[in-house]
Amino acid sequence: MSDRWDRYFLDLALRSAAMSRDPNTQVGAVLVGPGREVRGTGFNGFPRGIADTPARLGDRSLKLRMMVHAERNAILNCARVGISTKGCTLYFAATDSTGATWGGCPCTACTIEIVQAGISAVVSPPFKAGPSHWREDTEFAGILLAEAGVVYREVS
């Protein structure tokens, strides 16, 4: 796809991210079919029917145990209504209270689901600058994406 389309779908991912109630990081994902049709969206949040209270969102350990990542939510939202993800491109982007935008490879758990769902490409902004507890995990995920033949691209 062209840079213009990449930016459009990354913009949609950021709009999805704005739906997240996570006070620290908002992540959005968009699944796009080969004909440039949006097939599904997702943002990081708790499972349907689980209250995202300030107390739960403020407890990092609990929040991380309960959080459904945006990539996984996009895949599950497609599955929920019977939409195929095979051959799709997954766009995702993250932001926080500073207004910075970043991406990088998905985490290992989401990468495994991306591979199993038949997604053919992942597009995101570059990985977050500075220290991150996700760096080692996402580097390993990049190896898995390459091994599985899933194209990974970063768009500045």
Side-chain angles (χ1 to χ4, degrees):
M1 266 192 229
S2 72
D3 244 16
R4 180 174 165 236
W5 283 105
D6 286 341
R7 292 185 197 293
Y8 172 72
F9 291 125
L10 286 172
D11 221 27
L12 286 179
L14 284 171
R15 296 199 46 91
S16 292
M19 294 299 294
S20 174
R21 302 266 319 250
D22 187 328
N24 301 316
T25 304
Q26 298 77 45
V27 184
V30 178
L31 277 166
V32 178
R36 295 189 191 127
E37 74 282 3
V38 173
R39 293 203 183 168
T41 62
F43 56 88
N44 60 318
F46 290 169
R48 294 174 194 270
I50 304 298
D52 51 4
T53 64
R56 286 178 169 171
L57 289 166
D59 179 336
R60 181 172 174 77
S61 176
L62 179 61
K63 176 180 75 172
L64 291 176
R65 288 175 56 201
M66 296 173 63
M67 190 66 65
V68 181
H69 289 191
E71 307 94 296
R72 181 178 290 164
N73 255 333
I75 293 167
L76 292 172
N77 285 336
C78 284
R80 185 178 174 95
V81 295
I83 296 174
S84 176
T85 57
K86 186 174 182 183
C88 285
T89 297
L90 184 133
Y91 289 84
F92 84 101
T95 189
D96 59 25
S97 60
T98 70
T101 300
W102 69 89
C105 279
C107 72
T108 299
C110 287
T111 291
I112 289 167
E113 292 175 8
I114 286 165
V115 170
Q116 290 298 90
I119 294 167
S120 60
V122 175
V123 179
S124 78
F127 193 76
K128 185 177 187 176
S132 170
H133 67 277
W134 289 102
R135 188 171 306 278
E136 186 178 322
D137 185 72
T138 60
E139 287 173 358
F140 180 68
I143 293 167
L144 295 179
L145 286 174
E147 184 175 337
V150 177
V151 174
Y152 172 70
R153 293 187 290 118
E154 291 184 352
V155 176
S156 298

